[in-house]
Amino acid sequence: VVIAYTSVYGHTKQTVEELAAALSKKGAQRVVVTDLARDDQAEALEDAFRHSVLVLATTTYNGGFFPTMHEFVSHLVDHNFQRRTVAFVQNGSWMPAAAKGMRALLEQCAGIDFAQNVVTVKGSLDDKSRAQIDALADELVAKI
């Protein structure tokens, strides 16, 4: 599983850390976490192609999603990303829209299996979003 994320205030990063721990605890053999704003995007792109499951986690930004993540998803589309499971984690205080925007771009790709569970964080983690993390981890481990 590869988790590629961007985080503005640290709450999305915390969510990703909890998801990575849940995946490992539930049996995922390898979980790679990449901060797209700080790590090498070329390496992140390679990781996305090396693994069967990709989680994209980012904040809602101007009604869409964070520019660094937008650039990464555009690279996936440009490089014919296909036949993978893709899951989403979105963060937004009043109207989270990141998952919808990322999915719209990736729908151009062939054979993408979108996870049914989406983690939605409204500002910071709470019991509801932690339950969503657990459900997503269960779903993704079953697909590995």
Side-chain angles (χ1 to χ4, degrees):
V1 178
V2 174
I3 305 173
Y5 78 94
T6 60
S7 185
V8 177
Y9 299 110
H11 299 294
T12 305
K13 179 180 180 179
Q14 180 185 3
T15 305
V16 164
E17 290 169 347
E18 290 193 23
L19 176 59
L23 287 164
S24 294
K25 182 179 176 184
K26 292 174 185 285
Q29 297 283 328
R30 179 171 157 86
V31 180
V32 177
V33 177
T34 301
D35 179 343
L36 295 174
R38 291 165 183 77
D39 298 333
D40 185 349
Q41 277 212 19
E43 186 70 30
L45 192 62
E46 288 175 17
D47 284 337
F49 278 91
R50 286 185 193 121
H51 296 79
S52 61
V53 177
L54 173 64
V55 178
L56 299 171
T58 194
T59 54
T60 298
Y61 183 84
N62 286 341
F65 56 102
F66 200 72
T68 307
M69 179 62 76
H70 194 282
E71 178 182 2
F72 180 71
V73 173
S74 295
H75 285 306
L76 291 171
V77 173
D78 292 345
H79 287 87
N80 199 26
F81 189 70
Q82 58 185 310
R83 294 188 301 277
R84 304 281 193 293
T85 296
V86 176
F88 302 109
V89 174
Q90 62 182 350
N91 193 340
S93 296
W94 58 275
M95 192 173 122
K100 181 180 176 182
M102 291 185 289
R103 182 178 176 134
L105 281 178
L106 287 167
E107 284 177 341
Q108 302 172 55
C109 300
I112 299 296
D113 176 26
F114 293 104
Q116 289 185 357
N117 291 289
V118 174
V119 176
T120 299
V121 179
K122 291 192 173 182
S124 61
L125 283 169
D126 58 16
D127 291 341
K128 182 178 179 182
S129 51
R130 284 192 169 95
Q132 292 171 346
I133 288 170
D134 194 53
L136 180 59
D138 285 336
E139 180 181 357
L140 296 180
V141 168
K143 293 179 181 284
I144 297 174

